[in-house]
PDB file of all heavy atoms in Angstrom:
ATOM      1  N   GLY A  33    -193.580 -13.421  42.247  1.00 96.00           N
ATOM      2  CA  GLY A  33    -192.644 -12.572  42.985  1.00 96.00           C
ATOM      3  C   GLY A  33    -191.291 -13.218  43.129  1.00 96.00           C
ATOM      4  O   GLY A  33    -191.140 -14.423  42.904  1.00 96.00           O
ATOM      5  N   HIS A 142    -182.223 -25.345  60.896  1.00 96.00           N
ATOM      6  CA  HIS A 142    -182.884 -25.799  62.127  1.00 96.00           C
ATOM      7  C   HIS A 142    -184.216 -25.075  62.334  1.00 96.00           C
ATOM      8  O   HIS A 142    -185.243 -25.685  62.659  1.00 96.00           O
ATOM      9  CB  HIS A 142    -181.953 -25.545  63.322  1.00 96.00           C
ATOM     10  CG  HIS A 142    -182.603 -25.847  64.644  1.00 96.00           C
ATOM     11  ND1 HIS A 142    -182.877 -27.124  65.058  1.00 96.00           N
ATOM     12  CD2 HIS A 142    -183.098 -25.018  65.609  1.00 96.00           C
ATOM     13  CE1 HIS A 142    -183.493 -27.087  66.217  1.00 96.00           C
ATOM     14  NE2 HIS A 142    -183.630 -25.804  66.586  1.00 96.00           N
ATOM     15  N   GLY A 170    -184.797 -25.938  51.676  1.00 98.00           N
ATOM     16  CA  GLY A 170    -186.038 -26.437  51.073  1.00 98.00           C
ATOM     17  C   GLY A 170    -186.631 -27.515  51.947  1.00 98.00           C
ATOM     18  O   GLY A 170    -185.889 -28.241  52.622  1.00 98.00           O
ATOM     19  N   SER A 175    -196.091 -31.357  48.522  1.00 84.00           N
ATOM     20  CA  SER A 175    -195.947 -30.583  47.270  1.00 84.00           C
ATOM     21  C   SER A 175    -194.530 -30.783  46.749  1.00 84.00           C
ATOM     22  O   SER A 175    -193.560 -30.553  47.475  1.00 84.00           O
ATOM     23  CB  SER A 175    -196.188 -29.090  47.542  1.00 84.00           C
ATOM     24  OG  SER A 175    -197.529 -28.885  47.933  1.00 84.00           O
ATOM     25  N   VAL A 178    -187.813 -30.396  43.466  1.00 95.00           N
ATOM     26  CA  VAL A 178    -186.732 -31.119  42.799  1.00 95.00           C
ATOM     27  C   VAL A 178    -185.506 -30.222  42.778  1.00 95.00           C
ATOM     28  O   VAL A 178    -185.614 -28.994  42.611  1.00 95.00           O
ATOM     29  CB  VAL A 178    -187.153 -31.530  41.363  1.00 95.00           C
ATOM     30  CG1 VAL A 178    -187.528 -30.329  40.509  1.00 95.00           C
ATOM     31  CG2 VAL A 178    -186.066 -32.362  40.691  1.00 95.00           C
ATOM     32  N   ILE A 188    -183.398 -25.228  42.808  1.00 98.00           N
ATOM     33  CA  ILE A 188    -184.480 -25.980  43.441  1.00 98.00           C
ATOM     34  C   ILE A 188    -185.779 -25.468  42.829  1.00 98.00           C
ATOM     35  O   ILE A 188    -185.903 -24.273  42.557  1.00 98.00           O
ATOM     36  CB  ILE A 188    -184.472 -25.820  44.984  1.00 98.00           C
ATOM     37  CG1 ILE A 188    -185.565 -26.690  45.633  1.00 98.00           C
ATOM     38  CG2 ILE A 188    -184.578 -24.362  45.411  1.00 98.00           C
ATOM     39  CD1 ILE A 188    -185.423 -26.817  47.152  1.00 98.00           C
ATOM     40  N   ASP A 207    -191.376 -36.589  50.819  1.00 90.00           N
ATOM     41  CA  ASP A 207    -192.067 -35.980  51.969  1.00 90.00           C
ATOM     42  C   ASP A 207    -191.240 -36.157  53.237  1.00 90.00           C
ATOM     43  O   ASP A 207    -190.654 -37.217  53.462  1.00 90.00           O
ATOM     44  CB  ASP A 207    -193.445 -36.639  52.163  1.00 90.00           C
ATOM     45  CG  ASP A 207    -194.417 -36.155  51.101  1.00 90.00           C
ATOM     46  OD1 ASP A 207    -194.040 -35.252  50.317  1.00 90.00           O
ATOM     47  OD2 ASP A 207    -195.539 -36.689  51.056  1.00 90.00           O
ATOM     48  N   GLU A 225    -183.067 -34.637  61.984  1.00 90.00           N
ATOM     49  CA  GLU A 225    -181.633 -34.407  61.708  1.00 90.00           C
ATOM     50  C   GLU A 225    -180.915 -35.655  61.196  1.00 90.00           C
ATOM     51  O   GLU A 225    -179.694 -35.666  61.126  1.00 90.00           O
ATOM     52  CB  GLU A 225    -180.907 -33.893  62.965  1.00 90.00           C
ATOM     53  CG  GLU A 225    -181.519 -32.669  63.639  1.00 90.00           C
ATOM     54  CD  GLU A 225    -181.393 -31.393  62.775  1.00 90.00           C
ATOM     55  OE1 GLU A 225    -180.788 -31.474  61.678  1.00 90.00           O
ATOM     56  OE2 GLU A 225    -181.924 -30.354  63.177  1.00 90.00           O
ATOM     57  N   GLU A 233    -180.773 -38.304  39.505  1.00 90.00           N
ATOM     58  CA  GLU A 233    -181.388 -38.877  38.301  1.00 90.00           C
ATOM     59  C   GLU A 233    -181.081 -37.989  37.108  1.00 90.00           C
ATOM     60  O   GLU A 233    -180.817 -36.800  37.252  1.00 90.00           O
ATOM     61  CB  GLU A 233    -182.912 -38.997  38.504  1.00 90.00           C
ATOM     62  CG  GLU A 233    -183.264 -39.835  39.721  1.00 90.00           C
ATOM     63  CD  GLU A 233    -184.727 -40.267  39.734  1.00 90.00           C
ATOM     64  OE1 GLU A 233    -185.301 -40.499  38.650  1.00 90.00           O
ATOM     65  OE2 GLU A 233    -185.278 -40.365  40.848  1.00 90.00           O
ATOM     66  N   PRO A 273    -193.622 -62.487  19.325  1.00 94.00           N
ATOM     67  CA  PRO A 273    -193.543 -63.963  19.342  1.00 94.00           C
ATOM     68  C   PRO A 273    -194.618 -64.613  20.216  1.00 94.00           C
ATOM     69  O   PRO A 273    -194.991 -65.742  20.028  1.00 94.00           O
ATOM     70  CB  PRO A 273    -192.150 -64.226  19.918  1.00 94.00           C
ATOM     71  CG  PRO A 273    -191.374 -62.984  19.670  1.00 94.00           C
ATOM     72  CD  PRO A 273    -192.386 -61.862  19.770  1.00 94.00           C
ATOM     73  N   TYR A 305    -211.200 -40.348  32.924  1.00 98.00           N
ATOM     74  CA  TYR A 305    -211.852 -40.821  31.696  1.00 98.00           C
ATOM     75  C   TYR A 305    -210.987 -41.849  30.970  1.00 98.00           C
ATOM     76  O   TYR A 305    -211.495 -42.813  30.412  1.00 98.00           O
ATOM     77  CB  TYR A 305    -212.176 -39.638  30.774  1.00 98.00           C
ATOM     78  CG  TYR A 305    -213.128 -38.630  31.379  1.00 98.00           C
ATOM     79  CD1 TYR A 305    -212.978 -37.267  31.164  1.00 98.00           C
ATOM     80  CD2 TYR A 305    -214.174 -39.031  32.207  1.00 98.00           C
ATOM     81  CE1 TYR A 305    -213.846 -36.335  31.731  1.00 98.00           C
ATOM     82  CE2 TYR A 305    -215.037 -38.116  32.789  1.00 98.00           C
ATOM     83  CZ  TYR A 305    -214.867 -36.781  32.547  1.00 98.00           C
ATOM     84  OH  TYR A 305    -215.730 -35.872  33.138  1.00 98.00           O
ATOM     85  N   ARG A 333    -215.188 -42.462  50.904  1.00 93.00           N
ATOM     86  CA  ARG A 333    -216.369 -43.304  51.146  1.00 93.00           C
ATOM     87  C   ARG A 333    -215.991 -44.600  51.849  1.00 93.00           C
ATOM     88  O   ARG A 333    -216.689 -45.586  51.798  1.00 93.00           O
ATOM     89  CB  ARG A 333    -217.110 -43.600  49.830  1.00 93.00           C
ATOM     90  CG  ARG A 333    -216.339 -44.392  48.810  1.00 93.00           C
ATOM     91  CD  ARG A 333    -217.266 -44.780  47.624  1.00 93.00           C
ATOM     92  NE  ARG A 333    -216.545 -45.538  46.629  1.00 93.00           N
ATOM     93  CZ  ARG A 333    -216.191 -46.817  46.791  1.00 93.00           C
ATOM     94  NH1 ARG A 333    -216.480 -47.460  47.894  1.00 93.00           N
ATOM     95  NH2 ARG A 333    -215.527 -47.446  45.841  1.00 93.00           N
ATOM     96  N   SER A 347    -202.468 -40.792  36.568  1.00 97.00           N
ATOM     97  CA  SER A 347    -202.201 -39.364  36.768  1.00 97.00           C
ATOM     98  C   SER A 347    -201.050 -38.891  35.895  1.00 97.00           C
ATOM     99  O   SER A 347    -199.922 -39.368  36.048  1.00 97.00           O
ATOM    100  CB  SER A 347    -201.844 -39.084  38.229  1.00 97.00           C
ATOM    101  OG  SER A 347    -201.468 -37.735  38.401  1.00 97.00           O
ATOM    102  N   VAL A 369    -201.546 -50.918  44.556  1.00 98.00           N
ATOM    103  CA  VAL A 369    -201.924 -49.860  43.623  1.00 98.00           C
ATOM    104  C   VAL A 369    -200.760 -49.574  42.677  1.00 98.00           C
ATOM    105  O   VAL A 369    -199.649 -49.280  43.121  1.00 98.00           O
ATOM    106  CB  VAL A 369    -202.293 -48.558  44.356  1.00 98.00           C
ATOM    107  CG1 VAL A 369    -202.846 -47.531  43.358  1.00 98.00           C
ATOM    108  CG2 VAL A 369    -203.332 -48.823  45.456  1.00 98.00           C
ATOM    109  N   VAL A 410    -201.581 -47.696  27.597  1.00 98.00           N
ATOM    110  CA  VAL A 410    -201.144 -48.623  28.653  1.00 98.00           C
ATOM    111  C   VAL A 410    -202.272 -49.611  28.975  1.00 98.00           C
ATOM    112  O   VAL A 410    -202.030 -50.809  29.157  1.00 98.00           O
ATOM    113  CB  VAL A 410    -200.724 -47.842  29.915  1.00 98.00           C
ATOM    114  CG1 VAL A 410    -200.481 -48.795  31.091  1.00 98.00           C
ATOM    115  CG2 VAL A 410    -199.467 -47.022  29.632  1.00 98.00           C
ATOM    116  N   LEU A 447    -205.528 -36.024  11.995  1.00 97.00           N
ATOM    117  CA  LEU A 447    -204.872 -34.713  12.173  1.00 97.00           C
ATOM    118  C   LEU A 447    -204.695 -33.991  10.848  1.00 97.00           C
ATOM    119  O   LEU A 447    -204.759 -32.761  10.779  1.00 97.00           O
ATOM    120  CB  LEU A 447    -203.524 -34.896  12.861  1.00 97.00           C
ATOM    121  CG  LEU A 447    -203.561 -35.369  14.311  1.00 97.00           C
ATOM    122  CD1 LEU A 447    -202.168 -35.784  14.766  1.00 97.00           C
ATOM    123  CD2 LEU A 447    -204.138 -34.297  15.223  1.00 97.00           C
ATOM    124  N   PHE A 466    -223.748 -27.565  24.949  1.00 97.00           N
ATOM    125  CA  PHE A 466    -223.569 -28.721  24.067  1.00 97.00           C
ATOM    126  C   PHE A 466    -223.819 -30.006  24.842  1.00 97.00           C
ATOM    127  O   PHE A 466    -223.557 -30.064  26.051  1.00 97.00           O
ATOM    128  CB  PHE A 466    -222.128 -28.776  23.542  1.00 97.00           C
ATOM    129  CG  PHE A 466    -221.828 -27.830  22.420  1.00 97.00           C
ATOM    130  CD1 PHE A 466    -221.593 -26.489  22.678  1.00 97.00           C
ATOM    131  CD2 PHE A 466    -221.778 -28.270  21.104  1.00 97.00           C
ATOM    132  CE1 PHE A 466    -221.301 -25.603  21.641  1.00 97.00           C
ATOM    133  CE2 PHE A 466    -221.493 -27.401  20.064  1.00 97.00           C
ATOM    134  CZ  PHE A 466    -221.253 -26.062  20.334  1.00 97.00           C
ATOM    135  N   THR A 497    -223.996 -40.938  28.098  1.00 95.00           N
ATOM    136  CA  THR A 497    -224.122 -42.120  27.261  1.00 95.00           C
ATOM    137  C   THR A 497    -225.386 -41.932  26.422  1.00 95.00           C
ATOM    138  O   THR A 497    -226.438 -41.567  26.951  1.00 95.00           O
ATOM    139  CB  THR A 497    -224.175 -43.398  28.111  1.00 95.00           C
ATOM    140  OG1 THR A 497    -224.415 -44.508  27.249  1.00 95.00           O
ATOM    141  CG2 THR A 497    -225.239 -43.356  29.183  1.00 95.00           C
ATOM    142  N   THR A 513    -229.111 -25.918  21.211  1.00 95.00           N
ATOM    143  CA  THR A 513    -228.256 -26.845  21.964  1.00 95.00           C
ATOM    144  C   THR A 513    -227.764 -27.948  21.049  1.00 95.00           C
ATOM    145  O   THR A 513    -228.406 -28.991  20.914  1.00 95.00           O
ATOM    146  CB  THR A 513    -229.047 -27.470  23.138  1.00 95.00           C
ATOM    147  OG1 THR A 513    -229.658 -26.447  23.890  1.00 95.00           O
ATOM    148  CG2 THR A 513    -228.119 -28.296  24.029  1.00 95.00           C
ATOM    149  N   GLN A 580    -210.765 -33.046  20.674  1.00 98.00           N
ATOM    150  CA  GLN A 580    -209.711 -32.159  21.178  1.00 98.00           C
ATOM    151  C   GLN A 580    -209.579 -30.938  20.258  1.00 98.00           C
ATOM    152  O   GLN A 580    -209.516 -29.790  20.710  1.00 98.00           O
ATOM    153  CB  GLN A 580    -208.376 -32.906  21.242  1.00 98.00           C
ATOM    154  CG  GLN A 580    -208.312 -34.039  22.246  1.00 98.00           C
ATOM    155  CD  GLN A 580    -207.101 -34.953  22.007  1.00 98.00           C
ATOM    156  OE1 GLN A 580    -206.450 -34.906  20.956  1.00 98.00           O
ATOM    157  NE2 GLN A 580    -206.804 -35.794  22.973  1.00 98.00           N
ATOM    158  N   SER A 586    -212.586 -23.992  18.946  1.00 98.00           N
ATOM    159  CA  SER A 586    -213.665 -23.188  19.565  1.00 98.00           C
ATOM    160  C   SER A 586    -213.053 -22.137  20.492  1.00 98.00           C
ATOM    161  O   SER A 586    -213.441 -20.966  20.492  1.00 98.00           O
ATOM    162  CB  SER A 586    -214.610 -24.096  20.363  1.00 98.00           C
ATOM    163  OG  SER A 586    -215.201 -25.071  19.522  1.00 98.00           O
ATOM    164  N   VAL A 594    -205.731 -20.433  25.588  1.00 94.00           N
ATOM    165  CA  VAL A 594    -205.841 -21.880  25.359  1.00 94.00           C
ATOM    166  C   VAL A 594    -204.937 -22.684  26.283  1.00 94.00           C
ATOM    167  O   VAL A 594    -205.360 -23.669  26.879  1.00 94.00           O
ATOM    168  CB  VAL A 594    -205.497 -22.204  23.885  1.00 94.00           C
ATOM    169  CG1 VAL A 594    -205.404 -23.706  23.671  1.00 94.00           C
ATOM    170  CG2 VAL A 594    -206.519 -21.592  22.954  1.00 94.00           C
ATOM    171  N   GLU A 607    -206.396 -30.437  47.766  1.00 79.00           N
ATOM    172  CA  GLU A 607    -207.694 -31.134  47.674  1.00 79.00           C
ATOM    173  C   GLU A 607    -208.762 -30.184  47.156  1.00 79.00           C
ATOM    174  O   GLU A 607    -208.769 -29.031  47.488  1.00 79.00           O
ATOM    175  CB  GLU A 607    -208.072 -31.614  49.071  1.00 79.00           C
ATOM    176  CG  GLU A 607    -207.326 -32.874  49.466  1.00 79.00           C
ATOM    177  CD  GLU A 607    -207.958 -33.491  50.700  1.00 79.00           C
ATOM    178  OE1 GLU A 607    -208.978 -34.164  50.533  1.00 79.00           O
ATOM    179  OE2 GLU A 607    -207.454 -33.248  51.795  1.00 79.00           O
TER     180      GLU A 607
END
Side-chain angles (χ1 to χ4, degrees):
H142 174 71
S175 295
V178 59
I188 184 168
D207 285 354
E225 307 292 358
E233 303 195 33
Y305 299 142
R333 63 172 180 74
S347 175
V369 187
V410 171
L447 292 168
F466 282 79
T497 175
T513 309
Q580 294 165 346
S586 300
V594 172
E607 281 193 80

